[in-house]
Amino acid sequence: QVQLVESGGGLVQAGGSLRLSCVASGRTFSGYVMGWFRQAPGKERESVAALHWSGGNTFYADSVRGRFTISRDNAKNTVYLQMNSLKLEDTAVYYCAADISIARMTRAFRANADYWGQGTQVTVSL
């Protein structure tokens, strides 16, 4: 049974930083794409960042490029999202996800994935 367990969310002031973690278990993820999505109240879910488990290119949404960094630790089966210079509009529930297709995970309209975590709340305040 695949499990993606996120942690690291919380309340932070604008301009601050948070690091989200996602521990993956239940299968071998080599060949998979790991990513982060977010959904703010009243808004569509959007893809934020993604990378291949085995390395290679990374993807970032325009709204977070230069502020967020996705990375992985294969030995710990963990994917991270380092979020710096946080803005009010970054407030959302952040979900870890995994899929075989980076195109599916990062497309502009209705991006999706096969596996999902339960989500972690990130709230950015003034």
Side-chain angles (χ1 to χ4, degrees), residues 4-85:
L4 303 176
V5 180
E6 304 100 333
S7 61
L11 175 64
V12 64
Q13 284 189 321
S17 298
L18 279 176
R19 188 176 80 157
L20 305 183
S21 301
C22 171
V23 179
S25 63
R27 67 160 299 134
T28 300
F29 285 94
S30 60
Y32 269 71
V33 177
M34 306 298 295
W36 291 92
F37 288 73
R38 68 185 181 187
Q39 187 165 22
K43 293 190 176 181
E44 293 283 327
R45 184 180 62 204
E46 63 172 341
S47 179
V48 173
L51 83 170
H52 286 281
W53 189 260
S54 55
N57 293 339
T58 53
F59 160 84
Y60 293 99
D62 289 342
S63 57
V64 307
R65 188 175 293 111
R67 300 187 298 120
F68 290 12
T69 303
I70 187 171
S71 62
R72 76 202 189 284
D73 184 332
N74 290 358
K76 295 182 178 180
N77 261 20
T78 301
V79 177
Y80 303 99
L81 185 68
Q82 178 66 43
M83 305 185 294
N84 298 329
S85 302

Side-chain angles (χ1 to χ4, degrees), residues 6-12 18 20 36 39-41 83 88 90-95 118-124:
E6 304 100 333
S7 61
L11 175 64
V12 64
L18 279 176
L20 305 183
W36 291 92
Q39 187 165 22
M83 305 185 294
L88 295 178
D90 294 319
T91 295
V93 178
Y94 284 71
Y95 298 91
Q118 82 286 356
T120 185
Q121 176 71 45
V122 172
T123 302
V124 184

Side-chain angles (χ1 to χ4, degrees), residues 86-115:
L86 283 161
K87 303 176 180 181
L88 295 178
E89 53 264 40
D90 294 319
T91 295
V93 178
Y94 284 71
Y95 298 91
C96 178
D99 196 90
I100 199 73
S101 167
I102 195 168
R104 184 172 182 234
M105 286 189 70
T106 61
R107 62 195 182 199
F109 183 64
R110 292 187 179 176
N112 211 336
D114 279 343
Y115 303 111

